[in-house]
Amino acid sequence: MRYAEEVIVLHNREGWEEFASFRTDRILSLYFIASTKVSTIPGISLAGSNPDLTLYTPALDVEYLVLGFPRSLNIIPTTPEGIPTPALLTRVALKISGIPYLVVDCGSFIDPLIPHVDIRGGTVGGRIDIEDALTSDTTFKLFNNSKILGNMVGSNNSLIVVGESMPGGTTTAMAIMEALGYKAVGRVSSASPTNPHKLKKEVFEGAVKRVGKKIPLPNVFEAISHFGDPLHISIAGFLAGALERGARVLLSGGTQMCAVLAIARALGLNLSNKVAVGTTRWVVKDVSSDLLGLVKDIYPEVPIAYVNLDFSTSKYEGLRAYEHGYVKEGVGAGGTLIACTMVREVSIAEIFNAVEEEYERVTNLVRED
Amino acid sequence: MRYAEEVIVLHNREGWEEFASFRTDRILSLYFIASTKVSTIPGISLAGSNPDLTLYTPALDVEYLVLGFPRSLNIIPTTPEGIPTPALLTRVALKISGIPYLVVDCGSFIDPLIPHVDIRGGTVGGRIDIEDALTSDTTFKLFNNSKILGNMVGSNNSLIVVGESMPGGTTTAMAIMEALGYKAVGRVSSASPTNPHKLKKEVFEGAVKRVGKKIPLPNVFEAISHFGDPLHISIAGFLAGALERGARVLLSGGTQMCAVLAIARALGLNLSNKVAVGTTRWVVKDVSSDLLGLVKDIYPEVPIAYVNLDFSTSKYEGLRAYEHGYVKEGVGAGGTLIACTMVREVSIAEIFNAVEEEYERVTNLVRED
């Protein structure tokens, strides 16, 4: 495999080889965005320079992804320390590869000012410790609309890369997995080097107490309405629709994508040889979370691969910060980079340089304002 | 060429061969929908069972295309005589080929109840004989948003099929071409066997009188704001964006697509070997219009091909009506069928049978209601 050094298979090598044997010309990337008010709980999410700004991050992420600069607010999304969005890596991957892509809004707090598919239920996700995430109607609507979209853009033997941007997403992903019967507390990742497991657990325990039902819940849609968010059910719906058409789907993200696998399993979808998880080295190396264990518990047939990018030697502190546990993944960065190596003979060194160039451009963009 | 009998080149065979030499795996279809109040002028459009219903046709067309049944209203769009929408052919082509596709709303009177990209300026097109089509702001916004969308989904060596649904479109297309300096009065097609050229001319003359400026207008955006509609400028913007990325575009429609060529020419876009017009036999055989002459006048380097489908021997009167000049084309029927023959070895007989089957299904659907 020519991209052996760029992409490393973490789990189920045989499954990955089978998955990656598709015809590389038919690739499409989709970036799903949504908001959950869980991200506004102080300490939950670093995906924004303060908790309230995390609600704007998804729209700003995709505006930057598409245009090279944000439009709704004059702010490139960063952590409170100023480390820029992983959309930077995604943008580089799309630029190098020329992979066509779309943005899907399934519940962003603000409407992104770029062309996008809107499958919104008209609402952001509720703060699950004090309110339901979604009405049942919205949950069904998001699933069904996304499934139709999967039917439309899925095509036989194509590969569809699915990324996401939703601050607070590891917390709701954890809650979804728990509500569906998997041990997930303490196992999800974070954009922070100090993963706030205790706080996430408290949010989930608050939700369990509030809902007052025995978990696991037998009905997946009910589980999502109580404990979920607009994002994961939408991606699961899309997956269902795209698989119906014979497409393969690379779920591009960290432990959040395990919530999608849990929903898919609960719905009885057959993912074997058709779905893989693609992520970054930083998620895989993260000792505070357990992507591999979650996949093994939920859907062991699903392979995991990661892009072997290392920023230790970067001249930029904001990129070296990835090696210290900041950001790690998001906006489909890992999977889009993997897809990039599949459509073009591109070395990690080339990607590394392109990321540094883009980082410099973005930093100057911020300084000019 | 294996599809020689299915697809016939009407103009610029060499250009068509070059155009059709792309890698067939990378195909995406987009269907642009919009409304212009011109369609509500009695006698202008047969794309709806009465003039007011023509405003609903674009949304109903794409709902039917995606779902197999309309959703906003319980009506399959038909002519006043009950001949169903050409989306029937498009649906068959998409089903046979598995080509992934999207719907783009650039100004539909109602929001289609299926996942779609919304690049609306927030308004349908005005009735140009009595009011401007669009504000300049909206014209620019539609162009720019569509261009961004073209940048997103266009990719090198891919083929993008672009179809449309906008009743009244041949009239505004005619007005656009005239406003940009081409003779178009009496040369555009119609969904009717008795092309209402006189009425179309009156609408245009009313617009010229109302605007009170010397035509041709030197500024293409001004021409669109006064004489156009939301559709053609959006498709032109998309074309600009997709060509920037190295995509090839098959403009799928009849004489309306000549308005897109006129806008592209005015903007200085280079379409050679990158853009073709794909249509149906019924447009080409239509003696009341002049697709070939319009293309030769506006952009002679652009090849024209048509799908060689003939309904003379159909068992259904509603399909035989195509041979008597009804409907002819729409919702990218011709071009999508051409693209279908490019991705799959499919005979005209197979397409013919599949269309009859779908016609039967749709007819029963209507009867059941």
Side-chain angles (χ1 to χ4, degrees):
Chain A
M1 256 162 49
R2 69 170 166 77
Y3 51 83
E5 58 172 346
E6 285 83 26
V7 176
I8 295 179
V9 182
L10 173 70
H11 171 61
N12 187 3
R13 169 168 290 277
E14 208 176 307
W16 175 260
E17 299 285 350
E18 165 61 28
F19 176 83
S21 67
F22 58 86
R23 298 148 78 188
T24 52
D25 250 12
R26 288 185 133 165
I27 302 196
L28 181 69
S29 245
L30 278 86
Y31 302 95
F32 284 70
I33 61 167
S35 301
T36 164
K37 287 185 188 161
V38 168
S39 74
T40 63
I41 301 172
I44 280 282
S45 172
L46 289 196
S49 57
N50 70 50
D52 285 341
L53 275 179
T54 59
L55 292 173
Y56 295 85
T57 295
L60 298 174
D61 265 350
V62 292
E63 288 171 3
Y64 157 72
L65 186 67
V66 172
L67 305 171
F69 55 88
R71 195 179 241 183
S72 293
L73 293 174
N74 197 3
I75 300 172
I76 295 266
T78 66
T79 66
E81 298 82 6
I83 305 161
T85 170
L88 199 146
L89 310 188
T90 316
R91 185 169 157 84
V92 165
L94 291 174
K95 212 166 171 184
I96 293 177
S97 65
I99 292 173
Y101 66 102
L102 290 169
V103 169
V104 183
D105 178 7
C106 46
S108 168
F109 183 66
I110 56 165
D111 216 25
L113 299 178
I114 42 101
H116 62 276
V117 179
D118 191 340
I119 53 156
R120 298 170 66 127
T123 174
V124 305
R127 216 185 108 169
I128 61 169
D129 55 337
I130 56 171
E131 62 189 342
D132 266 1
L134 303 164
T135 65
S136 340
D137 271 8
T138 302
T139 305
F140 275 110
K141 191 174 162 185
L142 288 172
F143 182 84
N144 288 328
N145 279 344
S146 301
K147 190 174 172 190
I148 294 169
L149 182 65
N151 280 172
M152 293 170 72
V153 304
S155 72
N156 204 21
N157 286 326
S158 68
L159 174 72
I160 304 188
V161 179
V162 176
E164 58 70 39
S165 172
M166 186 183 72
T170 55
T171 305
T172 51
M174 179 197 84
I176 291 168
M177 289 186 270
E178 288 279 345
L180 293 175
Y182 303 99
K183 292 280 155 249
V185 167
R187 301 175 82 188
V188 292
S189 191
S190 159
S192 165
T194 51
N195 197 330
H197 283 309
K198 189 165 164 286
L199 184 54
K200 291 178 184 180
K201 190 182 174 200
E202 281 166 18
V203 170
F204 174 60
E205 285 171 348
V208 171
K209 203 172 160 187
R210 176 184 62 76
V211 173
K213 292 179 183 170
K214 189 173 173 289
I215 62 164
L217 288 169
N219 183 312
V220 62
F221 292 98
E222 195 186 348
I224 299 299
S225 297
H226 290 320
F227 297 100
D229 58 70
L231 182 84
H232 294 99
I233 189 68
S234 298
I235 296 179
F238 180 83
L239 193 62
L243 291 177
E244 271 184 5
R245 288 288 185 266
R248 299 176 185 211
V249 177
L250 182 61
L251 295 172
S252 303
T255 50
Q256 282 191 253
M257 290 304 172
C258 299
V260 177
L261 296 181
I263 299 169
R265 170 124 270 169
L267 293 171
L269 296 184
N270 180 5
L271 310 187
S272 295
N273 296 331
K274 291 292 183 181
V275 174
V277 171
T279 191
T280 63
R281 209 183 109 259
W282 307 294
V283 168
V284 170
K285 303 284 175 201
D286 177 22
V287 291
S288 84
S289 66
D290 186 16
L291 176 66
L292 179 60
L294 287 169
V295 170
K296 281 183 172 171
D297 285 357
I298 298 169
Y299 219 122
E301 297 86 346
V302 169
I304 309 171
Y306 65 94
V307 63
N308 196 19
L309 194 58
D310 185 326
F311 287 151
S312 320
T313 61
S314 174
K315 53 187 166 196
Y316 298 110
E317 202 188 322
L319 292 176
R320 289 198 306 273
Y322 277 72
E323 301 303 330
H324 305 122
Y326 285 96
V327 186
K328 296 188 186 78
E329 169 67 293
V331 200
T336 311
L337 282 165
I338 291 172
C340 176
T341 68
M342 288 168 159
V343 294
R344 259 207 54 194
E345 193 119 6
V346 59
S347 68
I348 280 294
E350 196 179 330
I351 291 171
F352 181 96
N353 292 336
V355 170
E356 286 207 323
E357 250 174 61
E358 176 65 2
Y359 182 88
E360 196 176 336
R361 191 189 69 79
V362 165
T363 312
N364 289 334
L365 204 67
V366 175
R367 280 194 195 129
E368 276 164 21
D369 299 330
Chain B
M1 257 162 49
R2 68 172 168 76
Y3 52 82
E5 58 172 345
E6 285 84 26
V7 176
I8 295 179
V9 182
L10 174 70
H11 171 60
N12 187 2
R13 168 167 290 278
E14 208 177 307
W16 175 261
E17 300 285 351
E18 164 62 28
F19 176 83
S21 67
F22 58 85
R23 297 149 78 187
T24 53
D25 250 12
R26 287 184 137 168
I27 303 196
L28 180 69
S29 246
L30 278 86
Y31 302 94
F32 283 71
I33 62 167
S35 301
T36 163
K37 286 186 189 161
V38 168
S39 74
T40 63
I41 302 171
I44 279 282
S45 172
L46 289 195
S49 56
N50 70 52
D52 286 341
L53 274 179
T54 59
L55 292 173
Y56 295 85
T57 295
L60 298 175
D61 266 349
V62 292
E63 288 171 5
Y64 158 72
L65 186 68
V66 172
L67 304 171
F69 54 87
R71 193 180 243 182
S72 293
L73 292 173
N74 196 4
I75 300 171
I76 296 265
T78 66
T79 67
E81 298 82 5
I83 304 161
T85 170
L88 198 146
L89 310 188
T90 315
R91 185 169 156 86
V92 165
L94 290 174
K95 212 167 170 183
I96 293 177
S97 64
I99 292 172
Y101 67 102
L102 289 170
V103 169
V104 183
D105 178 6
C106 46
S108 169
F109 182 66
I110 56 165
D111 215 27
L113 299 177
I114 42 102
H116 63 276
V117 179
D118 191 339
I119 53 155
R120 298 172 65 127
T123 174
V124 305
R127 218 185 106 170
I128 60 169
D129 55 337
I130 57 170
E131 62 189 343
D132 266 0
L134 304 164
T135 65
S136 338
D137 272 6
T138 302
T139 306
F140 275 110
K141 189 175 163 185
L142 288 172
F143 181 85
N144 288 329
N145 280 345
S146 301
K147 190 175 172 190
I148 294 169
L149 182 64
N151 280 172
M152 293 170 71
V153 303
S155 71
N156 203 22
N157 285 327
S158 69
L159 175 71
I160 304 189
V161 178
V162 176
E164 58 70 38
S165 172
M166 185 183 72
T170 56
T171 305
T172 51
M174 179 196 84
I176 291 169
M177 290 185 270
E178 288 279 344
L180 294 175
Y182 303 98
K183 292 281 155 247
V185 167
R187 300 176 83 189
V188 292
S189 192
S190 159
S192 165
T194 52
N195 197 329
H197 284 308
K198 190 166 163 285
L199 184 55
K200 291 178 185 178
K201 190 183 173 198
E202 282 167 18
V203 170
F204 174 59
E205 285 171 348
V208 171
K209 204 172 158 187
R210 176 184 62 74
V211 173
K213 293 179 184 168
K214 190 174 172 288
I215 61 165
L217 289 169
N219 183 312
V220 61
F221 293 97
E222 194 186 349
I224 299 299
S225 297
H226 290 321
F227 297 100
D229 58 71
L231 183 83
H232 295 99
I233 189 68
S234 299
I235 296 180
F238 179 83
L239 194 61
L243 291 177
E244 271 184 6
R245 289 288 185 266
R248 300 175 185 212
V249 177
L250 182 61
L251 294 173
S252 303
T255 50
Q256 283 190 252
M257 290 303 171
C258 299
V260 176
L261 297 181
I263 299 169
R265 170 124 270 169
L267 294 171
L269 296 183
N270 180 5
L271 311 186
S272 295
N273 297 330
K274 291 291 183 182
V275 174
V277 171
T279 191
T280 63
R281 208 183 110 259
W282 307 294
V283 168
V284 170
K285 303 284 176 202
D286 177 22
V287 291
S288 84
S289 66
D290 186 15
L291 176 66
L292 178 60
L294 287 168
V295 169
K296 281 183 173 172
D297 285 357
I298 298 169
Y299 219 122
E301 297 86 347
V302 170
I304 309 171
Y306 65 93
V307 62
N308 196 19
L309 194 58
D310 184 325
F311 287 151
S312 320
T313 61
S314 174
K315 54 187 167 194
Y316 297 110
E317 202 188 321
L319 292 176
R320 290 198 306 274
Y322 278 71
E323 301 302 329
H324 305 122
Y326 286 95
V327 187
K328 296 188 187 80
E329 169 66 293
V331 200
T336 311
L337 282 165
I338 291 173
C340 176
T341 68
M342 288 168 160
V343 293
R344 259 207 53 193
E345 193 118 7
V346 58
S347 68
I348 280 294
E350 196 180 329
I351 291 171
F352 181 96
N353 292 336
V355 170
E356 286 208 323
E357 251 175 58
E358 175 66 2
Y359 183 88
E360 196 175 335
R361 190 189 69 79
V362 166
T363 312
N364 289 334
L365 204 68
V366 175
R367 280 195 194 128
E368 277 164 20
D369 298 330

